[in-house]
Every structure is written in structure tokens, then in C-alpha cells.
């Protein structure tokens, strides 16, 4: 019998095998509940039902993102980038800032990236067919995605590998024993790299998002170095780990269940399949808000100032929204998953993520039909991301 009072701030809790059962029971009996605080951290609301979560995502009037949007920052009392970084800025400032970033990430602008992503992926994968075990997470997934973000920002190829390493450390999720200080140092190093990039491109524009932001104005003035760095940083953090992990999680699911791999091989409507992959394997377990006013919801009297966390990992399996939610159906339509959030903060990188997932998995099934486990994957330790840090496999 699973305990219903698990501490959701504890990373090890999320690696438990019975978490799906935990969420199923919570959805049935209390789709919104209060997790009590401890001496070290305040309590917070846990929203695990689909409809309540979608409603709160949409409601930027009663729920603010400016005091953080993940447990780490919400419990720390706020995010130092609030009001400057897209994800932790409320409308109307958010709307203006978002307009500066969306052109580079529009479906049309991304068309130019499709071929380079496909070429890189094909090279990486075909080199590994029939050559023995390798780590899919580190040798494939981590490379393709960070390289694309770097291209988007205009970061030189020589710095791509450094950024792969730093982004992994920055979220501190790979190793249960990694000290917090290492994650902070990695974050500082990324910010410094980006500051140098901005200063370099102020002298000599090189194209890409950084040059575009330098040329823009925000509320009547040019963007400051800090504003540009902050938003480029959010692209790296928002874009790299999420997309890398969804690929790793999906490949792990294929390895664990050969019938799923066979079914994916038969898929003809790839965009529809990608939506189901997003629903089932997205690594971001929750996002969050702070209530600006008292809000009454069924079963919850939320007080102004309360932290409210929205558990996509549960909402995406809500039986009242998705028929047979625990079955992966590559032809599921409609598929209104919350993996990219909902409302004003809906993931600005969603088109890029869809493009990358579609291309990488399509190339994977194109290079081989034989994918085998080659060791035990190492799970992540995080209360925000779930999935695998390593995935030893073999392609034959
Ligand atoms: C926002 C998930 C890929 C950059 C979000 C949000 C979610 C999300 C749920 C909303 C957060 C909130 O409401 O507080 C994902 C997932 C991805 C992915 C699951 C991959 C599978 C990307 C990529 C980029 C990116 C590729 C960058 C190129 C961002 C940014 C925001 C955001 C900047 C803030 C948007 C705003 O506040 O208006 N993402 N994301 N994400 N994402 Fe993504």
C-alpha cells in the first residue's frame, strides 16, 4: 500500500516505481491537496487533476509567475530573474518580452534548422549501428539538442561541448550526491559565457538570437546585457535538458517494451505520434505559481501568497481528460497534454522541441530496427525533472 503523504520536495521520492499509483489515487480522492511545510521549507498546494492545473496555468491574473515557477525557486522565496526572464515575468511585461523572442522560434524560422538537425542526427546514429554498447543519453541526445540551441543563439562550435557539461550540472539532477554549490558554479559559468557572447556580438553582430536581441528595444530602451543574458540562459535551460531527456525517456521506453518500438516503426503520422510522446515521456514533472489573492477551488481554499504547484506528470494521465491514459497510443487525437504548459507561458520553444523529437526518433527508426538494452540506466534525482541520466543501449 503506497503512502499518501510523500514529501514531493524530496528527489528520491520521484524515482519510486509506484509513483503512477500515488498520482492515480490522489487524482481520484483529492485532485488538489496541501503538502505541509517543514522546519526548512514552507508548505504548498499540489494540483494533480487536469482541469484545475490547466485553469491555473491560464490564470495569470490570480496566479503570478514572478515569485518563481518551479519548487526550487518558489520555496527559496523567488527568482532573481523575475521581471526580466520570460518564464518568471507576468503580463503585460511578459507579452512585450515574448514578442521579441518568438520570431526566432516560429515554425517558419525553424525550417532552416531541420536539415542540419537531421544531418547531425544521422551521422551520430549511423556511426553507432553495429559498433557495440553506447550511452544514448550522453552520446546522442545531449549533443543534438544543445548544438541546435547554440546555433540559434550564435554560440561558436568550440564552446558547444562546454555548454553540454555545464547545463547538466546547472540543474543538479544527474547525481544524488552532487553538491548544490557545483550547480551554482555551473550556472555562473554559463552566465559568464553568455555575457562574453553578448559583448562580442555588440562589437561584431554574428546573426542568431543574441544579435537580434541586441538590435531590439524593450519598453523604449535597448535591452541591457543582463536582460539578454537572462533570456538566452532561459533558452538553454528550457531547451536543452527538457528535449534531451524526452528523447532519452522515449528511447528507454522503446528498449523496455519492444512492442512500443514496433508500433513506432509503423507510425505514418509522425506529428501526432510526437504529441503522444510529449504526453507520456516529457521530463518536466511540475511547474508552479504563487496566488496573488484568495482563491476558492473545489476542495481547496487557497490563500493569497500560497505556493501552488501544477503536476503535469499527473494531469497528463488524468482519466477524465484522456481515455486509457496509461496506454501509449501514437494515433491519439485530440491530445491536449499539458507538457508545454498552457496559457500565456505556453512553452515558447514548443515548435523547436517538436521538430527535434520528430527528426531524432524518425532517424532512429530509419537507421535500424534493432535496439537493445546494454546495461542499467541511471535515474535522475530531481523534484522537477524525471527520467534517465544515462541510457546504455546497442543498435544492431
Ligand atoms: C516554458 C516545457 C522545450 C524554452 C515552458 C513551459 C513548459 C515547458 C511546461 C511553461 C512553464 C510555465 O508555465 O511556468 C518544455 C518541454 C520541452 C521544452 C517539455 C521539451 C520537450 C523548450 C525549448 C526551448 C524552451 C526547445 C527553447 C528553445 C522555454 C521558455 C519558456 C518555456 C523560454 C518560458 C515561456 C514563457 O514564459 O512565456 N516550457 N519546454 N522550451 N520553455 Fe519550454
Amino acid at each position: 500500500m503506497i503512502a499518501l503523504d510523500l514529501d514531493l520536495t524530496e528527489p528520491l521520492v520521484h524515482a519510486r516505481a509506484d509513483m503512477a499509483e500515488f498520482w492515480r489515487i490522489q487524482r481520484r480522492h483529492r485532485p488538489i491537496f496541501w503538502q505541509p511545510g517543514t522546519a526548512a521549507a514552507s508548505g504548498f498546494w499540489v494540483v494533480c487533476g487536469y482541469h484545475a492545473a490547466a485553469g491555473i496555468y491560464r490564470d495569470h491574473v490570480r496566479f503570478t509567475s514572478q515569485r518563481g515557477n518551479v519548487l526550487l525557486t518558489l520555496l527559496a522565496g523567488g527568482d532573481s530573474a523575475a521581471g526580466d526572464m520570460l518564464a518568471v515575468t507576468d503580463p503585460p511585461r511578459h507579452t512585450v518580452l515574448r514578442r521579441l523572442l518568438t520570431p526566432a522560434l516560429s515554425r517558419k524560422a525553424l525550417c532552416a534548422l531541420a536539415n542540419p538537425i537531421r544531418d547531425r542526427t544521422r551521422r551520430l546514429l549511423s556511426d553507432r549501428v553495429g559498433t557495440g554498447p553506447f550511452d544514448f543519453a550522453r552520446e546522442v541526445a545531449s549533443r543534438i539538442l544543445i548544438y541546435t540551441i547554440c546555433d540559434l543563439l550564435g554560440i561558436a562550435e568550440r564552446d558547444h561541448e562546454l555548454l553540454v557539461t555545464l547545463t547538466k550540472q546547472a540543474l543538479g539532477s544527474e547525481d544524488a550526491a552532487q553538491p548544490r554549490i557545483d550547480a551554482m558554479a555551473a550556472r555562473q559559468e554559463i552566465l559568464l559565457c553568455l555575457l562574453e557572447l553578448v559583448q562580442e556580438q555588440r562589437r561584431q553582430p554574428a546573426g542568431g538570437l543574441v544579435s537580434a536581441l541586441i538590435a531590439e528595444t524593450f519598453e523604449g530602451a535597448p535591452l541591457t546585457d543582463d536582460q539578454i543574458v537572462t533570456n538566452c540562459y532561459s533558452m538553454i535551460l528550457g531547451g536543452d535538458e527538457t528535449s534531451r531527456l524526452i528523447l532519452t525517456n522515449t528511447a528507454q521506453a522503446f528498449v523496455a517494451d519492444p512492442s512500443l518500438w514496433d508500433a513506432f516503426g509503423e507510425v505514418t503520422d509522425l506529428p501526432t505520434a510526437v504529441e503522444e510522446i510529449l504526453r507520456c515521456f516529457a521530463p518536466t514533472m511540475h511547474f508552479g505559481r504563487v496566488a496573488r489573492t484568495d482563491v476558492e477551488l473545489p476542495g481547496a481554499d487557497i490563500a493569497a501568497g500560497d505556493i501552488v504547484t501544477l503536476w503535469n506528470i499527473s494531469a497528463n494521465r488524468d482519466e477524465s481528460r484522456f481515455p486509457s491514459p496509461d496506454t501509449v497510443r501514437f494515433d491519439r487525437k485530440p491530445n491536449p497534454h499539458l507538457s508545454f504548459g498552457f496559457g500565456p507561458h505556453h512553452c515558447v520553444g514548443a515548435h523547436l522541441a517538436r521538430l527535434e523529437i520528430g527528426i531524432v526518433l524518425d532517424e532512429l527508426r530509419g537507421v535500424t530496427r534493432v535496439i537493445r538494452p546494454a546495461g542499467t540506466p541511471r535515474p535522475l534525482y530531481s523534484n522537477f525533472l524525471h527520467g534517465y541520466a544515462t541510457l546504455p543501449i546497442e543498435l544492431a
Side-chain angles (χ1 to χ4, degrees), residues 34-38 41-45 75 306-307:
W34 176 254
Q35 166 156 330
T38 60
S42 63
F44 52 90
W45 291 99
L75 292 176
D306 281 356
I307 294 171

Side-chain angles (χ1 to χ4, degrees), residues 232-346:
C232 291
Y233 180 59
S234 81
M235 295 288 162
I236 291 180
L237 286 188
D240 172 51
E241 268 225 308
T242 48
S243 321
R244 176 155 54 85
L245 288 172
I246 197 171
L247 289 176
T248 306
N249 293 355
T250 311
Q252 156 62 11
F254 289 156
V255 168
D257 178 358
S259 70
L260 197 65
W261 174 235
D262 289 344
F264 184 69
E266 301 300 316
V267 161
T268 49
D269 180 353
L270 197 56
T272 298
V274 167
E275 295 311 306
E276 182 70 341
I277 284 165
L278 281 159
R279 183 183 76 87
C280 299
F281 305 120
T284 36
M285 291 187 287
H286 77 268
F287 280 93
R289 302 289 187 259
V290 170
R292 287 179 206 265
T293 57
D294 293 353
V295 180
E296 253 182 66
L297 293 176
D301 287 337
I302 298 174
D306 281 356
I307 294 171
V308 182
T309 54
L310 314 171
W311 291 81
N312 296 349
I313 191 161
S314 169
N316 279 344
R317 303 263 173 158
D318 189 329
E319 312 57 14
S320 71
R321 195 69 187 89
F322 301 96
S324 311
D326 294 327
T327 309
V328 181
R329 281 187 5 213
F330 290 125
D331 61 351
R332 187 182 291 275
K333 238 178 179 175
N335 196 340
H337 61 76
L338 294 182
S339 296
F340 287 133
F342 194 61
H345 289 279
H346 180 267

Side-chain angles (χ1 to χ4, degrees), residues 58 60-61 65-66 83-103 213 216-219 223 231 292 343-346 348:
R58 196 173 35 207
H60 69 86
V61 175
S65 294
Q66 293 217 175
D84 277 327
M85 181 156 85
L86 196 61
V88 284
T89 300
D90 290 331
R93 200 173 154 89
H94 168 267
T95 316
V96 183
L97 197 54
R98 189 162 165 125
R99 240 180 254 137
L100 302 179
L101 297 171
T102 38
L213 290 177
E216 280 290 354
T217 55
F218 180 52
E219 296 177 335
L223 278 94
N231 283 291
R292 287 179 206 265
H345 289 279
H346 180 267
V348 74

Side-chain angles (χ1 to χ4, degrees), residues 1-264:
M1 181 76 178
I2 184 165
L4 292 181
D5 56 353
L6 297 177
D7 175 3
L8 295 173
T9 63
E10 170 51 53
L12 286 172
V13 160
H14 299 281
R16 289 172 63 131
D18 52 5
M19 280 311 277
E21 181 62 8
F22 168 84
W23 289 119
R24 195 173 302 119
I25 296 170
Q26 301 291 10
R27 278 195 304 276
R28 190 175 321 135
H29 297 292
R30 41 175 205 167
I32 307 182
F33 63 92
W34 176 254
Q35 166 156 330
T38 60
S42 63
F44 52 90
W45 291 99
V46 176
V47 179
C48 50
Y50 180 93
H51 299 280
I56 295 170
Y57 269 122
R58 196 173 35 207
D59 189 350
H60 69 86
V61 175
R62 294 190 298 172
F63 296 95
T64 175
S65 294
Q66 293 217 175
R67 286 195 248 158
N69 75 333
V70 293
L71 268 175
L72 183 73
T73 49
L74 289 162
L75 292 176
D79 192 310
S80 58
D84 277 327
M85 181 156 85
L86 196 61
V88 284
T89 300
D90 290 331
R93 200 173 154 89
H94 168 267
T95 316
V96 183
L97 197 54
R98 189 162 165 125
R99 240 180 254 137
L100 302 179
L101 297 171
T102 38
L105 294 164
S106 69
R107 218 188 285 263
K108 194 164 159 227
L110 293 174
C111 279
L113 294 182
N115 281 339
I117 297 174
R118 198 171 281 282
D119 291 347
R120 259 177 204 154
T121 308
R122 193 168 295 167
R123 261 199 315 275
L124 277 174
L125 287 173
S126 45
D127 282 357
R128 284 165 178 83
V129 177
T131 54
F134 68 97
D135 182 354
F136 179 85
R138 285 171 194 273
E139 292 178 39
V140 178
S142 71
R143 297 215 148 56
I144 298 157
L145 302 155
I146 190 70
Y147 286 7
T148 308
I149 300 284
C150 286
D151 284 350
L152 201 73
L153 296 178
I155 293 174
E157 208 159 330
R158 61 174 185 277
D159 294 328
H160 289 189
E161 282 299 321
L162 175 65
L163 279 155
V164 170
T165 311
L166 292 176
T167 47
K168 268 188 228 145
Q169 288 170 1
L171 284 190
S173 51
E174 288 226 343
D175 188 343
Q178 176 178 295
R180 236 172 102 77
I181 196 83
D182 284 359
M184 280 160 61
R187 240 166 273 164
Q188 288 307 324
E189 208 169 323
I190 297 175
L191 293 173
L192 270 177
C193 283
L194 291 171
L195 183 61
E196 276 171 26
L197 181 76
V198 173
Q199 289 170 347
E200 210 173 281
Q201 295 207 12
R202 278 197 192 282
R203 289 190 295 273
Q204 202 172 8
L209 187 61
V210 171
S211 297
L213 290 177
I214 288 171
E216 280 290 354
T217 55
F218 180 52
E219 296 177 335
L223 278 94
T224 62
D225 284 0
D226 278 355
Q227 285 169 329
I228 299 176
V229 165
T230 301
N231 283 291
C232 291
Y233 180 59
S234 81
M235 295 288 162
I236 291 180
L237 286 188
D240 172 51
E241 268 225 308
T242 48
S243 321
R244 176 155 54 85
L245 288 172
I246 197 171
L247 289 176
T248 306
N249 293 355
T250 311
Q252 156 62 11
F254 289 156
V255 168
D257 178 358
S259 70
L260 197 65
W261 174 235
D262 289 344
F264 184 69

